[in-house]
Amino acid sequence: MNAALEARDLIKRFGGLVALDGVQFAAAEGEVLGIIGVNGAGKTTLMNCLCGLYQPDEGEIRLAGEDVTGRTPHEIAARGVGRTFQVPRVFRRMSLIDNLLVPVLRRRATDRALIDQAETMLERMRLIDLRHNFAEELSGGQQKLLEMARMLMPDPRVVMLDEPFAGVHPTLCRFMIEQIEAMAAERKTVLLISHDLTSIYRLSHRVLALNQGRVIAEGGVEAIRGNPAVIEAYLGA
Ligand SMILES: Nc1ncnc2c1ncn2[C@@H]1O[C@H](COP(=O)(O)OP(=O)(O)O)[C@@H](O)[C@H]1O
Ligand SMILES: [Mg+2]
C-alpha cells in the first residue's frame, strides 16, 4: 500500500548551505510521525518543502502514491494537506469565524452549513465565546488553536504541525496534545515537529531525528530516546 506521505532523497540548498541533505521517510495513514532536532536542523525547511512553500532542489514528494513534487502550496492543500506555522499566521483583523471560513470559501455548501461547521470547530477548540472577536485579540496560545482549527476545516488527510507547543501555557499544551491525539484517531497522518522531546515522545508512533539536514535516526520512541547520535546532537548543541 502507498504511504500517505513520502519523501525521497530531498535536497534543499540555500546558497552554499545544505539545509536538507537527502531526507527520506514515509508516514502511514493515522500515524503520528515526530520530527525532532535542534535549532537549525532543517525541520521547518522540510515542512516548507512538503507543503510546496519551498521547492526542493532534488528529490521527490508523494501523497498517497501521487508525485506532487513541484506543486504549489495551493495544489498541495487541495490534495488534503494542512499545516500550522511555528509563529501562528492568523488573519489578525478578521473574526475567528471568518478565519475559519477562508479555507472553505470555494466549497459547494450553503453559507449556513459552513458557518455551522466553523462554530462546531470553534466549540471543539474552546474558542466559541470569542467567535466574533478579531484574531489579534487572542493570546499567542489561542492563536495556535485558531490556526489548528482553520487547518482542520477542509478535513485534511495529512496535517503538519510546526512547534505547536512552543511558548504555550502547560494547560493549553495538554489540550493541544488531546487534539492531536484526536486527529490521529480520525486516521489523519500527523507530522509533529518539535525540539521539545517530552511531548513528541508522548504522542509519536515513530520519530525521525534530523541533524544538519540529515536523518540521523529513525524508529520507535524507546529506540530514539536511547540513540547515541540523537543524544550527542542534543548535548553537543
Ligand atoms: N529561507 C531561508 N533562507 C536561507 N537559509 C534558510 C532559510 N530557511 C532556513 N534556512 C537555514 O536552513 C537551516 C535549517 O533551518 P530550519 O529548517 O528553520 O531549522 P529548524 O526548523 O530545524 O530549526 C538553518 O541553517 C537556517 O538558517
Ligand atoms: Mg523550525
Side-chain angles (χ1 to χ4, degrees), residues 14 17 19 37-46 48 54 86 162-163 193 210:
F14 296 111
L17 176 87
V38 296
N39 253 331
K43 304 180 298 296
T44 298
T45 302
L46 174 61
N48 286 339
Y54 291 170
Q86 200 161 339
D162 197 355
E163 304 279 0
I193 289 193
L210 291 183

Side-chain angles (χ1 to χ4, degrees), residues 199-235:
S199 45
I200 285 262
Y201 285 164
R202 170 163 169 198
L203 276 163
S204 302
H205 303 137
R206 213 151 48 83
V207 177
L208 195 74
L210 291 183
N211 198 42
Q212 298 183 346
R214 293 206 186 91
V215 177
I216 56 166
E218 183 180 358
V221 168
E222 281 318 310
I224 292 291
R225 211 195 287 272
N227 186 294
V230 175
I231 294 167
E232 196 195 316
Y234 269 81
L235 290 183

